[in-house]
Amino acid sequence: MSNKVKRELEKIEIPEELHNRAKLGVMQAKKESEKKNQIADNQIPTSPLNKKVAYYKRILIVAAICLTIVSTLTFTPALAAIQEVYNKIFTSEHIDDTGVRMAVISGKGQALDQTFYDKKYDITVHFDRVLTDDKETKLLLTYQSEETNLENHYIDLFEGVSSINLIVESGQKVPLDNVGWGSSYYDSKENKITEALSFASIKEYADQEIRLEIENLTIWNDSGMESLQTTWPLEFKLKPSAVSDRETVEVNKEFTFKGETYNIKQVEFSDLETRVVVTGSDTKLLTDESGMQYRVMSKLEHQFLNARKNSKEYGYSVDDEKSGVFLQSANEKIDPIFSKGEVEGAEDEYVMTFAPVEDRQGSILKVGEEIKIPLTK
Amino acid sequence: MTIIDLVYKAQKGNEESFLSLFQKYEKDIYRMAYLYVKNKEDALDVVQETAYRAFKKINTLKNPEFFKTWLIKIAKSCATDVLRKKKKVIHLNLEQKDFIESDDHDLPLSLTLQDLLDTLDEREKSIILLKFYYGYTLKEISKIEELPLGTVKSVLYRTLAKLEKKVRKVDMYE
């Protein structure tokens, strides 16, 4: 009889971020006890639930200041944008990048909390957070409109007409290349888009005032691609909190999969991802008689993508029923970040990107069910 | 390492031991929370809050072998707090009547998750969970819930009757 209840309860899907939320709870408890030890005795502990309220209040104060300063900003969109932050959309599975979700949950990166109002199209853009390391930058933002229908609108840095530029001191625009596709989610009820943009590193500008400009939205519809011509500026000082390091470990280990030999060249650990760089007998570029070069999917890449599923609601995610390529660290399965599928390595290299790991020393690459290769021992 | 060893280590402030312990039960806690709050975001908040409170108070756990029961109680209290904030908690008046029947109860065959979510109030959900999901005896449930044994029994029978009725009603229209 208990099986009936169990069977029904097991229909409740377990979200990916479950263990991270437990970690966050412990982290908060730990921080509080450290603070308690360090500072005055009369401090009142704040639980995560109450912190939510405190955070909301703090944001409301910021909003009040913004409202005073930015005359073009109307009350409703500002509150809506604030509510969006409060809703923790960036930690939800609508963002198909585990690295982003984990970083936001752990409070990593630099909070921006800046709002820009695009008067021409009535779009309120809220810049939430920025994170950067040696190889990529994540800019988290939402945009919402009451007049422009934002369905099918994207800041598509990969194939679309959108771009993001860094404005240097001379006023020159330096375009920043995409890293993977980034993550985007359209909420039709709110007519709001949540975007985790992914582009080249800006780490070298740490401690400097910088200006970024997002140019043009790409509209993908049945008839093809259109554009919405606009510019959204963002000025801020890139604080050290936005910057994290990337640790590269040489591996040089070989394995054979489906008759092909692969060499794991290196593994790169960062707060946003773990990259495993591989070369193999079928990762080389092919050249035809005319000299044209082609990249053909290797057997390893087929295996990596085998566990990928796609949905409009949640983008790319892992199909747990299928065999694939995963990492294992601290007895946890570390999932691939499929939205970084197009990250290119050097010639002949194939790059697999996974979520960040905590136990770097104990990381193991698992290909299918049989092959397990320790990456750092 | 046994659960008791992990509890001792966690009591010394070792967060990794605590997290390994917590990980063993977090899915159960999430599902239990979901049954109460009925949505993913709030259920995740309950898990986070449970981890927060449990790690803060693990020193107060005198018998490490009761870690699981202790954690379930915390999770239940967190879920109730979330509901209270949203003003969704409704406790029905309980009959204080004792039942003499045996511990062998059954659930309707066509019970669904939706029945559990929609039909039962918080106390009923809790007792059904403890009895049929975690497998506690009625005596143990009475200790966890801090309710007289008779009350636990009466809530359980009433809940089973309620589910039975609900399932029959649905069957009639199918």
Side-chain angles (χ1 to χ4, degrees), chain A residues 1-2 4-6 8-9 12-13 15 19 21-22 28 30 32 45-50 52 88, chain B residues 15 22 26 30-31 44-45 48-49 51-52 56 85 104-108 111-113 129 132-133:
Chain A
M1 67 182 91
S2 60
K4 273 181 239 165
V5 174
K6 275 194 178 151
E8 284 307 311
L9 282 177
I12 299 171
E13 280 181 27
H19 191 56
R21 293 297 291 270
Q28 281 171 304
K30 215 180 161 190
E32 271 177 22
T46 322
S47 78
L49 283 177
N50 292 336
K52 246 185 168 182
K88 296 187 293 190
Chain B
E15 64 182 274
F22 194 87
E26 65 190 12
Y30 174 79
R31 288 189 165 122
L44 281 170
D45 279 347
Q48 186 178 326
E49 181 76 7
Y52 167 85
K56 277 195 100 147
K85 281 191 178 174
D104 189 20
H105 321 284
D106 211 347
L107 285 163
L111 174 81
T112 65
L113 178 62
L129 263 179
F132 297 112
Y133 188 67

Side-chain angles (χ1 to χ4, degrees), chain A residues 321-339:
Chain A
E321 305 290 308
K322 288 189 176 171
S323 152
V325 181
F326 296 93
L327 286 184
Q328 189 182 309
S329 163
N331 285 325
E332 279 181 50
K333 184 175 137 196
I334 310 295
D335 289 339
I337 302 176
F338 291 118
S339 61

Side-chain angles (χ1 to χ4, degrees), chain A residues 99-201:
Chain A
V100 169
R101 298 203 299 260
M102 285 171 73
V104 173
I105 286 169
S106 329
K108 287 180 177 148
Q110 176 183 348
L112 296 169
D113 284 340
Q114 280 193 42
T115 304
F116 171 76
Y117 180 56
D118 184 335
K119 208 173 174 182
K120 189 175 170 192
Y121 299 105
D122 175 47
I123 299 176
T124 303
V125 188
H126 185 262
F127 296 100
D128 183 78
R129 188 181 294 257
V130 66
L131 306 98
T132 189
D133 69 12
D134 306 69
K135 289 207 172 159
E136 68 171 320
T137 301
K138 291 282 183 199
L139 178 61
L140 312 189
L141 67 148
T142 60
Y143 47 104
Q144 182 178 25
S145 177
E146 284 177 11
E147 284 178 17
T148 305
N149 181 0
L150 294 174
E151 190 170 13
N152 302 325
H153 286 55
Y154 304 87
I155 304 173
D156 186 345
L157 307 176
F158 178 54
E159 289 172 315
V161 291
S162 315
S163 62
I164 184 158
N165 303 294
L166 177 77
I167 312 301
V168 294
E169 255 182 285
S170 60
Q172 197 192 340
K173 278 182 187 177
V174 180
L176 298 165
D177 286 340
N178 70 292
V179 175
W181 309 312
S183 289
S184 170
Y185 166 62
Y186 174 63
D187 179 342
S188 56
K189 275 187 199 158
E190 304 279 331
N191 190 32
K192 178 163 43 186
I193 292 179
T194 302
E195 191 113 25
L197 275 184
S198 189
F199 51 90
S201 169

